[in-house]
């Protein structure tokens, strides 16, 4: 279904997922209407085109000076600014949506999706050398930069589709293939909100590289994803005195790089030292 001009962008709560049990964050502020994008046009996907349950909308007259960013500039410039702010406002959902695994464990005030991605980007920034990957970026024969700079960018976008679909976890009972399909469709929507072009294509390319685990950089970021998970699990164990074995068991034997294996071993060692003779409990510490 095409979104017409003078409509605000739908919130993630409008998506009609089967058996939807995702934690919903507060609705984001009303967005400026999209100037020239037609979301979900011809997609035929009821999960991304069902707009029957959209919340209240606010129409904006884009002809008014105050409705346009950079209105004194060219129309293409203000259109680009509008698309950028629409996209960034949609990404606010990443800051406000809490990670489902911690919610299921009863963790109070758990990390958000953006929290998770940010620390993964820091991991890419401080990681040691990875054989076959350059510390700085460089251009390969295909015109793609490789190296740790690319790892940072992959980390920033790898969960970006969750701004629309939410944090889908194994407990939701959605098959891996279906999860990937939903996220790919959501990513397409986000790239259309951004207005297409070079940056949108780059985001799509980075996301697909991670999803397909198709490069050394993707291998490393996949490992960072698991390292960040167990590091956060250890921190919650120390904070709450609650055993979170399932998160450590879920990543056993799945690390692909020496950096990932080394960091995971360090976290496990610290965890063993922390617990020592301390009693574990299935309930949060009071």
């Amino acid at each position: 279904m095409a979104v017409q001009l003078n409509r605000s962008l739908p919130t993630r709560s409008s998506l009609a997922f089967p058996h939807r049990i995702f934690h919903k964050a507060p609705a984001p502020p009303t967005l400026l209407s999209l100037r020239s994008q037609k979301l979900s046009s011809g997609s035929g996907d009821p999960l991304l085109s069902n707009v029957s349950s959209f919340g209240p909308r606010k129409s904006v007259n884009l002809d008014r000076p105050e409705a346009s960013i950079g209105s004194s500039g060219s129309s293409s410039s203000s259109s680009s600014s509008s698309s950028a702010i629409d996209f960034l406002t949609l990404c606010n959902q990443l800051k406000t949506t809490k990670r489902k695994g911690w919610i299921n464990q009863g963790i109070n005030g758990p990390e958000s999706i953006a929290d998770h991605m940010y620390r993964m980007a820091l991991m890419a920034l401080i990681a040691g050398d990875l054989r076959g990957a350059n510390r700085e970026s460089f251009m390969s024969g295909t015109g793609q930069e490789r190296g740790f700079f690319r790892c940072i960018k992959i980390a920033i976008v790898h969960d970006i589709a969750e701004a629309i679909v939410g944090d889908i976890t194994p407990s939701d009972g959605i098959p891996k293939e279906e999860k990937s399909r939903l996220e790919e469709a959501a990513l397409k929507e986000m790239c259309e909100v951004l207005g297409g072009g070079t940056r949108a294509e780059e985001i799509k390319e980075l996301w697909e590289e991670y999803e397909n685990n198709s490069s050394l950089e993707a291998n490393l970021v996949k490992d960072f994803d698991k390292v960040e998970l167990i590091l956060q699990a250890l921190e919650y164990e120390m904070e709450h005195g609650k055993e979170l074995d399932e998160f450590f068991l879920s990543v056993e034997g799945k690390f692909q790089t020496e950096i990932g294996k080394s960091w995971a071993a360090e976290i496990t060692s610290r965890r063993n030292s922390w617990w020592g003779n301390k009693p574990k409990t299935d309930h949060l510490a009071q």
Side-chain angles (χ1 to χ4, degrees):
M1 176 178 178
V3 174
Q4 303 301 320
L5 294 178
N6 293 329
R7 298 185 55 167
S8 60
L9 189 67
T11 64
R12 181 164 50 81
S13 61
S14 66
L15 301 178
F17 286 89
H19 312 296
R20 184 170 179 79
I21 52 176
F22 308 139
H23 177 73
K24 295 194 297 182
T30 301
L31 299 179
L32 294 178
S33 58
L34 305 182
R35 293 173 180 267
S36 59
Q37 302 308 312
K38 292 185 178 180
L39 305 185
S40 303
S41 178
S43 68
D45 190 336
L47 299 181
L48 293 167
S49 61
N50 178 12
V51 295
S52 61
S53 60
F54 285 177
R57 303 175 184 82
K58 179 181 178 182
S59 295
V60 177
N61 182 355
L62 294 178
D63 295 327
R64 293 184 305 156
E66 64 269 25
S68 176
I69 297 175
S71 57
S72 60
S74 67
S75 60
S76 61
S77 175
S78 62
S79 176
S80 175
S81 296
S82 178
S83 295
I85 298 305
D86 283 343
F87 175 80
L88 293 172
T89 305
L90 175 56
C91 287
N92 182 59
Q93 293 281 31
L94 299 170
K95 296 171 62 177
T96 59
T97 303
K98 306 304 182 182
R99 297 252 286 167
K100 185 73 175 294
W102 310 127
I103 294 173
N104 291 343
Q105 288 292 328
I107 300 297
N108 184 40
E111 66 169 349
S112 68
I113 298 168
D115 293 334
H116 168 68
M117 293 196 296
Y118 176 73
R119 186 153 63 174
M120 285 176 60
L122 287 179
M123 290 176 181
L125 182 64
I126 69 171
D129 292 335
L130 175 67
R131 181 175 299 178
N134 197 335
R135 160 56 55 183
E136 302 297 334
S137 64
F138 66 92
M139 302 305 290
S140 71
T142 61
Q144 294 178 328
E145 83 277 13
R146 314 308 306 180
F148 284 78
F149 180 57
R150 189 168 182 84
C151 288
I152 294 172
K153 293 200 287 187
I154 294 173
I156 291 171
V157 306
H158 83 285
D159 278 341
I160 197 169
E162 293 181 11
I164 290 178
V165 302
D167 183 22
I168 302 174
T169 69
S171 66
D172 296 317
I174 295 178
K176 183 177 180 180
E177 295 77 13
E178 178 67 1
K179 176 179 182 289
S180 180
R181 186 188 73 82
L182 294 174
E183 291 180 347
E184 184 176 10
L187 183 74
K188 180 181 178 181
E189 295 285 352
M190 296 185 73
C191 288
E192 290 177 358
V193 170
L194 185 56
T198 303
R199 295 286 75 83
E201 285 301 314
E202 181 182 28
I203 289 172
K204 182 175 181 288
E205 177 186 286
L206 292 165
W207 183 88
E208 289 177 344
E209 185 175 329
Y210 177 85
E211 186 73 6
N212 297 325
N213 200 23
S214 58
S215 67
L216 284 172
E217 290 80 8
N219 297 163
L220 185 56
V221 179
K222 288 276 188 180
D223 277 5
F224 289 158
D225 187 51
K226 299 175 182 67
V227 168
E228 208 288 322
L229 174 71
I230 60 174
L231 178 55
Q232 186 64 75
L234 173 59
E235 290 165 347
Y236 285 147
E237 285 187 331
M238 296 171 69
E239 180 180 355
H240 299 291
K242 178 182 176 67
E243 183 178 12
L244 296 170
D245 278 343
E246 67 178 82
F247 298 96
F248 294 89
L249 293 174
S250 70
V251 303
E252 275 190 1
K254 296 182 180 179
F255 292 95
Q256 305 173 78
T257 67
E258 291 306 312
I259 294 172
K261 293 173 184 177
S262 175
W263 287 10
E266 176 66 21
I267 293 169
T268 300
S269 175
R270 294 188 181 199
R271 184 184 188 228
N272 292 337
S273 297
W274 164 257
W275 280 113
N277 296 322
K278 295 182 178 67
K280 297 181 182 179
T281 176
D282 289 332
H283 303 283
L284 291 176
Q286 299 297 318

